[in-house]
Amino acid sequence: MAYQKIRVLALLIVCTLFLTLALYGQKPTALKLWYDKPANAKVWEQALPVGNGRLGAMVYGIPEREMLQLNEETIWGGGPYRNDNKKGAEALPVVQQLIFDGNTHEADELVNASFFTKTHGMPFQTAGSLVLNFPGHAHYQHYYRELDLDRAIAKISYTVDGIRYTREIISSFADDVIIMHLASSKKGGLTFEAEYSNSSKHTVFRNGNSLVLEGRGSDHEGVDGKIVYQTHTSVKSRDGKIEVANDKLKVSGATSATLYISIGTNFIDYKSIGADQAAKASVKLGTARKKGFEKALSQHVALYAKQFGRFKLDLGSRGGVKDESTVERIKNFKTTQDPALITLLTQFGRYLLICSSQPGGRPATLQGIWNNAMQPAWDSKYTININTEMNYWPAEVTNLSETHQPLFQMIKDLGESGQETAKALYGSEGWVAHHNTDIWRITSPIDFAAAGMWPMGGIWLAQHLWEHYLYTGNTEFLRQVYPIMKGASDFLLTTLIPHPKHEDKEWMVLSPSISPEHGPMSAGVTMDNQLVFDMLTRTALANEILGEDTVYRDNLQEMVKRIPPMHIGKYTQLQEWLEDLDDPKNEHRHVSHLYGLYPGNQISPYTTPELFEASRNSLTYRGDMATGWSIGWKVNLWARLLDGNHAYKIVNNMLTIADRENRDGRTYPNMFTAHPPFQIDGNFGLTAGVAEMLLQSHDGAVHLLPAMPDVWHTGFVSGIKARGGFEIEMNWVDGEAEGIKVLSSIGGNLRLRSYVPLSGKGLKEATGENPNVLLNPIAAVKALISPEASLKGNKLRRIYEYDLPTIRGKTYNFSVKKR
């Protein structure tokens, strides 16, 4: 009898537990950020982001005063403008001679006077906030909020006086509006007021059943603000009363209500404005209102999941660690080493890319699509000396190729805008862009010489066109973008000049330039040489693939032979400059000279071992701690160095909480990464870095688990992409791959590289060069190694390489060969 009572009591406890979870919160899943407290109204980095590529919102989840901070991708300061200084071309030869003579200070002053103007880029700006006031909700219980990455929905729930209130918020991929569904567990228990908060010049008025705000982008640095936008907010409810006044919207006595927010601007393209902002907003709002919330949610999730669901990742479980809120998991990571938290952060990066970059729209900015200021840090624009490029490092490898399209459009725009800059500043053909741009596609330098006199931003961006081709094999795409690649190469062919101190070698260099944000003014900077090599050789390859002009191809290849090779300096480091100027005690955040290691492919442990080892030394000298984006880069660099444990050490540096108590933290409570302040490139760099630890395809083969840290004992990944159009699914145990599936989307030779022997039907030992041009890297080898390179003894694990001719659309299975 006593035993039966115990069983009944246990059953009641279990039932009560499940009822409590159902009423007062949801069991967190692996891909949810969740919290047991609302965001602090004054701490934006605690709010949760939703977005659909065009519209973004930060959701605070405050019971008594909800805030939805809003963004639309084309709300920027200023209007169409240019920032070319016509004095540049005349001053250019004088500046170049000063640099060759070693008078870098004078060169710096002349560059500032002749290449720069008073405009330094326009800011990306907030659309303000929609604020919802809930009377009597200040005293609440059983609070829970989450961001569900699988479904791209933010949820909040809490109780007041025994009534359960819920909020669900999406930035709809189906309807292109922000939708918020509010519900009360008591019939008629929902009452609130909605009003706008906005720092721009604006007016608020009623238009039918909508509350409308019309605002403007601000004037900036002498450029008049030309962007005009309207935010339309409307609500539907089956019961209760809805009132729309001239300054607020009120709902009373409802059981549930659905709020719709639509934003339209007058932006047309980087050269023109004049669209009807009111019509843009009202048409989308009217269409969305015709659907019930459940249907709208279902359609939104279906479209979003087509992208997010392609890539699956499991780095292991937490092994008995109690369920903790996301902020507690970040705080405790040093102790728990929770692999599921790394999985969450990796997938969060993919979520952010999907939500801030969609076909037909603008690329992700320095903060993606989320920004709560009129004058954000660095204007939240496009810093193209690494940050914008880093935003798109995860795009191809984590199966989000279409998110790359907005960047391609921006590169096309810059290819047009940059032609005038190339002529005005350099007297050159082709096109050029420096280290920064904005929605108006400026291409001349900004800020000051030591940061902005770097004419390689467009050259770096153009590498993304080639990378997309390598992953997809899409020849039609290559044909479309070839003129852009050719224009970038034309600029180099007409701008490179002989270095007078190396006449015997006939080296051609770019001058003036800098190693990004890390002076001095120089000629023949290592990163420039690496980028020039990539631009010219890849354009030549594209020319050959497309059957274009052979004379032009020969010109490109002849110039490549005259690019200075990389050099190893006195500290056995890869030199950052043509001269041996590196300081091994300098821990500068930029490691630009390692572009050839990642994201480039000029440095390899198998073909350039001396440069490979020198790159390791350079990275070691720079240290493991840095700004958030630099940490993201270093994860990738250590992965390319095939050192999974060191890459994992850098991941540890990223997963430190950034709050008022820890100014050196690199991850905010909402998992945004910190420079500080917030820069989204750190998130994207981390995501790409984890993928690079699991799979590499830049060095002639598809390398399985190239940089696996010891702590990731068992795991699984699917939907990860390799160059050559291969999609891989694999699981591993004790760091070694077991079951492996490879989908060949376009056919061609598959060369597999592994640390363990593999078996599979048709698999043969690899010999010679890989015949698959999409996997065969540009042969740098001797042309890239300086004659004095002398480092030897690079210790590498034994590798096994296999070839298999594949057929388009067919899946191939492999396993570890028994030893």
Side-chain angles (χ1 to χ4, degrees), residues 779-805:
V781 199
K782 294 182 180 179
L784 294 174
I785 305 175
S786 60
E788 63 268 31
S790 59
L791 291 181
K792 303 294 181 183
N794 192 42
K795 295 181 180 179
L796 297 172
R797 293 176 64 179
R798 179 182 177 182
I799 59 170
Y800 301 84
E801 288 191 347
Y802 305 91
D803 278 344
L804 178 69

Side-chain angles (χ1 to χ4, degrees), residues 469-697:
Y469 169 69
L470 293 183
Y471 275 93
T472 64
N474 188 336
T475 306
E476 183 54 36
F477 169 82
L478 187 64
R479 191 176 304 280
Q480 292 171 4
V481 301
Y482 175 73
I484 305 172
M485 296 176 67
K486 182 179 182 300
S489 292
D490 286 344
F491 171 76
L492 296 175
L493 291 176
T494 54
T495 307
L496 291 164
I497 58 174
H499 198 304
K501 294 183 180 179
H502 299 282
E503 291 181 351
D504 55 327
K505 302 182 180 70
E506 297 185 336
W507 285 347
M508 299 289 284
V509 296
L510 197 66
S511 177
S513 189
I514 56 169
S515 192
E517 301 184 34
H518 194 199
M521 194 74 67
S522 189
V525 172
T526 296
M527 186 188 200
D528 291 359
N529 297 335
Q530 294 168 339
L531 281 166
V532 170
F533 181 91
D534 273 357
M535 192 72 256
L536 299 182
T537 53
R538 291 170 175 182
T539 303
L541 276 171
N543 176 293
E544 183 177 3
I545 292 165
L546 298 173
E548 296 286 338
D549 177 15
T550 58
V551 174
Y552 183 70
R553 189 189 318 156
D554 291 342
N555 290 339
L556 293 170
Q557 293 170 340
E558 285 302 312
M559 182 62 77
V560 168
K561 296 175 183 178
R562 301 183 63 183
I563 304 305
M566 289 178 268
H567 291 76
I568 297 172
K570 58 188 174 185
Y571 299 109
T572 66
Q573 88 286 2
L574 185 70
Q575 289 181 194
E576 187 166 357
W577 298 273
L578 198 56
E579 302 79 17
D580 192 356
L581 304 175
D582 298 83
D583 178 358
K585 297 180 181 180
N586 186 333
E587 295 186 350
H588 195 272
R589 62 194 178 279
H590 281 264
V591 283
S592 304
H593 52 309
L594 299 186
Y595 162 88
L597 177 65
Y598 183 93
N601 66 347
Q602 297 171 18
I603 299 172
S604 162
Y606 309 111
T607 57
T608 60
E610 295 90 349
L611 295 176
F612 184 81
E613 192 64 26
S615 298
R616 182 193 303 274
N617 293 336
S618 287
L619 193 57
T620 300
Y621 292 149
R622 285 291 163 89
D624 293 335
M625 194 58 191
T627 56
W629 66 263
S630 184
I631 287 174
W633 196 356
K634 289 178 179 180
V635 174
N636 286 277
L637 288 167
W638 281 109
R640 283 281 174 95
L641 289 167
L642 306 179
D643 192 336
N645 286 329
H646 206 133
Y648 182 78
K649 180 181 178 182
I650 307 298
V651 173
N652 267 262
N653 290 342
M654 183 71 85
L655 274 168
T656 52
I657 196 71
D659 56 22
R660 292 175 179 175
E661 285 71 44
N662 184 18
R663 299 294 184 182
D664 294 327
R666 290 296 178 263
T667 300
Y668 287 112
N670 64 359
M671 297 198 87
F672 279 168
T673 53
H675 182 282
F678 165 55
Q679 282 188 200
I680 203 167
D681 39 32
N683 288 99
F684 296 140
L686 186 281
T687 297
V690 170
E692 203 69 21
M693 294 164 77
L694 301 176
L695 187 79
Q696 294 178 18
S697 61

